[in-house]
Amino acid sequence: MAKRKRRTFTPEFKAEVVLEALRGESSQAELCRRHNLSEDQVSKWKQQFLENAASLFESTNKASEDAAERIAHLE
């Protein structure tokens, strides 16, 4: 019996599906049928998206300041 290959999805596809689900233009069940996905998978993607959404608005200066401070300390 041949094993089924595991599907992989690009981050762009995941974001597109999640945004479509959050817009509410169609039900999550309909969205899953259209893209041949399980509802659990879409729910996990939505949860990951919402948990990490705040990091999009964080200042990148903070990270560069921390890196510069670390480099100065190492030198």
Side-chain angles (χ1 to χ4, degrees):
M1 193 174 203
K3 281 191 173 184
R4 228 173 103 182
K5 257 190 165 177
R6 191 173 204 157
R7 297 186 299 170
T8 57
F9 302 99
T10 63
E12 292 81 14
F13 175 77
K14 291 177 184 181
E16 179 184 323
V17 170
V18 168
L19 290 173
E20 196 172 333
L22 291 175
R23 274 188 231 119
E25 294 171 353
S26 59
S27 69
Q28 186 164 326
E30 183 182 332
L31 182 67
C32 292
R33 280 192 301 269
R34 189 168 354 118
H35 293 290
N36 196 22
L37 299 167
S38 71
E39 289 196 39
D40 286 338
Q41 187 63 64
V42 174
S43 294
K44 287 178 187 176
W45 290 350
K46 278 177 33 179
Q47 182 180 5
Q48 287 175 343
F49 180 84
L50 294 173
E51 286 174 355
N52 297 319
S55 67
L56 295 173
F57 299 106
E58 288 180 352
S59 174
T60 57
N61 291 337
K62 174 91 169 113
S64 62
E65 287 174 9
D66 290 342
E69 185 177 313
R70 184 165 183 258
I71 290 170
H73 176 70
L74 292 173
E75 289 176 343

